[in-house]
Amino acid sequence: FDRCIESPPPAVDPRQCPGYKEIADGAAGQAIEYLATMEETGSCTGWCSPSTPIWTSTPSRDACSFVAGLVLKGQASVAGTVVAHAAVVTVAAFGIAKAMPIEG
């Protein structure tokens, strides 16, 4: 497998290398596919530091851990905004309900 990807990308798609399927189907399979997807869609290479691209031919200045952190930060920000808006609506609804006279 290692000798197969020694060619600079995109000369060889690592998924076509002998042994790739066995490795991808093993315990590390999800991590490998995650890294492949990050490199292909996140414009990043490597995890701890930028590295030689494996699945693409595009060099990157960003490590995939940095890009993943930005994605998670964005998702957390959206979730926090939704929770804050829901809290405001809930407080307003209770305030209106408390201010209304009870008939009966």
Side-chain angles (χ1 to χ4, degrees), residues 5 8 19 33 35 55 57 82 86 94:
I5 63 171
E33 285 308 309
L35 289 173
W55 292 274
S57 60
V82 169
F94 277 114

Side-chain angles (χ1 to χ4, degrees), residues 68-79:
L70 291 176
V71 170
L72 290 174
K73 180 181 177 185
Q75 291 174 348
S77 176
V78 170

Side-chain angles (χ1 to χ4, degrees), residues 46-103:
W47 185 254
C48 296
S49 60
S51 177
T52 303
I54 296 173
W55 292 274
T56 66
S57 60
T58 309
S60 174
R61 296 183 329 178
D62 294 324
C64 289
S65 59
F66 176 74
V67 173
L70 291 176
V71 170
L72 290 174
K73 180 181 177 185
Q75 291 174 348
S77 176
V78 170
T81 301
V82 169
V83 169
H85 287 153
V88 168
V89 169
T90 302
V91 168
F94 277 114
I96 292 169
K98 189 172 182 180
M100 295 178 72
I102 299 175
E103 295 181 25

Side-chain angles (χ1 to χ4, degrees), residues 1-2 4-5 12-23:
F1 175 74
D2 290 336
C4 180
I5 63 171
V12 175
D13 181 347
R15 293 174 184 96
Q16 304 306 315
C17 292
Y20 184 92
K21 182 170 175 19
E22 289 77 14
I23 293 170

